[in-house]
Amino acid sequence: MPWDRRTFLGLLAGAPGIAAVAGSGTASARTAVAPPSTPAAPLAPADPAAEAARRLLGAHADQFDFVPLAPGPEGLDRFVVSGRAGRVTVAGTNPATQLTGLRRYLKQAGLAQFTWAGSRAGLPARVPAPEGGRIEGRADTPHRFVLNDTNDGYTGPYHDWAYWEREIDLLALHGFNEVLVYAGADAVYQRLFQRYGYGDEEVRAWIPGPAHQPWWLLQNLSSFPAPVTARLVEQRAALGARIVGRLRELGMKPVLPGYFGTVPAGFADRNPGARTVPQGTWMGFARPDWLDPRSDLFAEVAAAFYEIQEELFGRGTLYKMDLLHEGGRAGNVPVGEATRGVQRALRAARPDAVWVILGWQKNPPKEIVAAADRDAMLVVDGLSDRFPEVSDRESDWQGTPYAFGSIWNFGGHTALGANTRDWVDLYPRWRDRAGSRLSGIALMPEAADNNAAAFELFAELPWTEGSVLPDVFGSASTRGFGTGAVTRTPRRRGTSCGRRCTGRGATTAGRSRPTGSSGRGPRSTRSRRASGPPRRCGTRPRPSNPH
């Protein structure tokens, strides 16, 4: 007898999650339980880049000096690597950019590689001087965003600090500066709704387990598979505080969830004057209700949300919100007025904040874009490389700044394929055309820690000048990604394959849903990837159902 979706997802939630929430039970109303204390932030190191280098390179890190550097034109990040054998200086606009410079040096010298698939370091006792005596790099856009909303569910619901410490180092090495952080969001909501008529256990029964929290934060579901424990909420708050603390030490920015109206069932009954809109169902799950953003009560709840969030995680400048995501219902609330209410509440709490919103399917709706202050919004586009019909984001989003993005896998699947040729073709053309509002990149696979070659290539886009990308896929014997340089050549619609490469074995697919590749890993005796599927590039599906 086949399982229904709820039974199957319950099993997917995993034994760790079920064990963590066992014994919580269903709550009675208004149980007086004190909220968790604010996690104490560890002391910041005097030299964050040097500390990261020691984690990555051990004693060899002592041969590197990390120093500050003034930003480039328009305040953009840059680095300069110089020095001599045994004493290399890495200058950068912040510690994260210094680590980006360190990686460029190590990569060009063939000394080390750090990827989502693993790391390798083989430094000599005395590190060599930089190639040519000097290595320079400059970012061409300010926003270098990474991680999908669903990543925290598919890949990392129970990751600990050891994982996140390495992950943050890895993202800094590859030049990313904006990281989506969902860990600890449950603690904000747990405190918030105790102010509005709900008991602690009631709120924890409404909060889903960590494997399903991304869809809860997208207002797709709640109360699944079982109530979370107070201890789990506290642990995730402490982890979130360490994550955002480390990002800020390195000069990176956490992208935190914003408040756009999600409330538990029965909110209007407990709060006189509240106007809520039922959201129906999503994939068989009952969606949380939506609090009308035009109301004074919404402004009050949003202010409390940002106050609690600041207590736990400090003040941010980037807030992720996807209003009416994947079938959300506006009811009788005008979408434009709701948009202004959401942004007004954000601005009241964080005057310099940027609203980050996903570009996916019909998101963001035209009504949202038209009503928002578009200069204070950033669309992270999940479809830049997916359909030939996607070609003018300036018109699609009415001049809203956006990040060129890719989602190369779905549903937590592992992939060894991506639309690489489209990246190296489209990114510079969209960036350089007249009136361009392209302001960055957004790497958003639905599960991380895979597809190392694609990860490296995409990360290089805003750091690469000229018509030829670095040899991302080269030196198979030392790097395992195949051979050849990827060149930016004119894109021909309708051709079978989506990238041109001087060798064989690099990641490849057409501008469509990435097809994937052989699952066999590299060996030291293998000069290219296995010859398994796909034997031809992916087809181009119609855009009516991109997921």
Side-chain angles (χ1 to χ4, degrees):
M1 179 177 182
W3 290 330
D4 60 52
R5 180 179 176 84
R6 280 181 171 271
T7 302
F8 184 65
L9 286 176
L11 293 172
L12 285 181
I18 294 172
V21 300
S24 295
T26 302
S28 60
R30 303 178 185 274
T31 304
V33 178
S37 58
T38 303
L43 294 175
D47 191 340
E51 288 292 322
R54 291 187 189 98
R55 290 192 293 271
L56 297 163
L57 302 176
H60 285 94
D62 295 336
Q63 299 181 53
F64 296 89
D65 297 314
F66 297 92
V67 299
L69 182 67
E74 302 178 0
L76 295 172
D77 288 329
R78 67 188 185 106
F79 62 79
V80 175
V81 185
S82 58
R84 53 184 171 78
R87 194 81 259 157
V88 175
T89 298
V90 185
T93 47
N94 53 51
T97 306
Q98 292 163 13
L99 291 174
T100 307
L102 173 65
R103 174 183 164 271
R104 179 70 63 86
Y105 160 82
L106 295 170
K107 176 181 174 181
Q108 289 193 4
L111 299 177
Q113 186 178 22
F114 301 93
T115 80
W116 265 352
S119 301
R120 176 191 63 81
L123 279 68
R126 190 166 184 248
V127 300
E131 186 176 295
R134 185 180 177 91
I135 302 170
E136 297 188 34
R138 179 182 65 85
D140 58 27
T141 49
H143 298 288
R144 301 178 303 277
F145 176 96
V146 65
L147 299 183
N148 193 298
D149 300 76
T150 64
N151 176 73
D152 205 41
Y154 286 130
T155 302
Y158 301 105
H159 280 325
D160 59 10
W161 172 243
Y163 168 88
W164 274 104
E165 183 169 57
R166 181 187 182 277
E167 180 77 351
I168 293 168
D169 288 346
L170 191 65
L171 297 176
L173 286 167
H174 284 81
F176 292 101
N177 65 346
E178 297 168 356
V179 182
L180 185 64
V181 180
Y182 273 0
D186 42 2
V188 179
Y189 279 98
Q190 186 236 11
R191 291 184 174 195
L192 175 66
F193 288 118
Q194 291 185 70
R195 299 185 182 185
Y196 291 93
Y198 294 84
D200 170 67
E201 292 185 14
E202 285 184 292
V203 180
R204 289 191 285 104
W206 175 67
I207 296 170
H212 294 86
Q213 284 188 19
W215 293 273
W216 168 64
L217 293 169
L218 289 166
Q219 206 178 39
N220 295 151
L221 57 81
S222 64
S223 308
F224 186 84
V228 294
T229 64
R231 181 182 178 188
L232 181 61
V233 173
E234 291 180 20
Q235 289 174 335
R236 286 177 59 78
L239 176 62
R242 293 192 77 175
I243 293 169
V244 300
R246 176 59 56 79
L247 291 172
R248 289 172 177 144
E249 286 173 14
L250 292 171
M252 304 165 77
K253 295 180 180 180
V255 182
L256 299 171
Y259 186 74
F260 57 95
T262 301
V263 294
F267 185 85
D269 297 332
R270 306 183 191 208
N271 295 274
R275 298 191 301 271
T276 58
V277 180
Q279 293 298 292
T281 61
W282 178 88
M283 301 293 181
F285 292 93
R287 300 177 67 136
D289 290 343
W290 182 44
L291 180 61
D292 186 345
R294 300 173 298 171
S295 65
D296 292 340
L297 184 56
F298 175 92
E300 178 189 316
V301 174
F305 176 93
Y306 291 117
E307 173 195 319
I308 295 166
Q309 189 181 64
E310 182 176 355
E311 291 173 1
L312 291 170
F313 307 117
R315 292 175 70 89
T317 56
L318 296 160
Y319 291 87
K320 180 75 163 54
M321 296 183 283
D322 291 286
L323 197 60
L324 304 174
H325 178 263
E326 289 194 4
R329 300 174 180 179
N332 62 357
V333 179
V335 173
E337 292 182 31
T339 299
R340 286 187 286 270
V342 170
Q343 195 165 39
R344 186 166 54 247
L346 175 60
R347 283 280 186 80
R350 307 284 184 271
D352 57 347
V354 172
W355 177 351
V356 180
I357 190 167
L358 178 65
W360 176 251
Q361 295 182 351
K362 296 180 179 180
N363 198 56
K366 292 184 182 298
E367 300 94 330
I368 289 179
V369 173
D373 176 355
R374 293 184 287 279
D375 289 334
M377 179 176 274
L378 175 70
V379 182
V380 286
D381 186 10
L383 299 176
S384 299
D385 62 346
R386 195 166 170 78
F387 301 114
E389 292 81 1
V390 174
S391 60
D392 187 357
R393 287 315 205 186
E394 286 72 22
S395 295
D396 293 341
W397 296 322
Q398 303 173 42
T400 307
Y402 68 94
F404 179 94
S406 178
I407 303 176
W408 67 53
N409 66 355
F410 302 91
H413 295 156
T414 296
L416 289 176
N419 298 331
T420 54
R421 181 173 179 262
D422 291 298
W423 298 347
V424 299
D425 172 29
L426 296 174
Y427 176 79
R429 290 205 287 114
W430 290 13
R431 178 198 62 202
D432 297 340
R433 65 188 171 195
S436 174
R437 296 292 281 168
L438 190 154
S439 299
I441 60 169
L443 182 60
M444 301 182 291
E446 288 201 347
D449 304 334
N450 60 69
N451 217 2
F455 172 76
E456 182 170 352
L457 173 61
F458 195 87
E460 292 281 6
L461 292 175
W463 292 95
T464 301
E465 297 182 17
S467 59
V468 181
L469 281 168
D471 184 16
V472 173
F473 298 123
S475 304
S477 62
T478 58
R479 303 212 344 242
F481 288 161
T483 59
V486 178
T487 61
R488 289 174 176 159
T489 55
R491 177 166 157 271
R492 294 177 294 166
R493 295 175 186 264
T495 54
S496 60
C497 284
R499 68 101 176 92
R500 180 170 296 175
C501 186
T502 60
R504 296 185 64 190
T507 301
T508 170
R511 193 176 182 204
S512 62
R513 180 179 304 213
T515 312
S517 184
S518 171
R520 283 181 278 175
R523 298 175 184 167
S524 60
T525 57
R526 186 176 293 159
S527 63
R528 60 185 176 87
R529 288 289 183 192
S531 58
R535 297 189 181 279
R536 56 190 179 128
C537 293
T539 58
R540 299 175 185 270
R542 295 178 62 83
S544 58
N545 183 22
H547 198 68

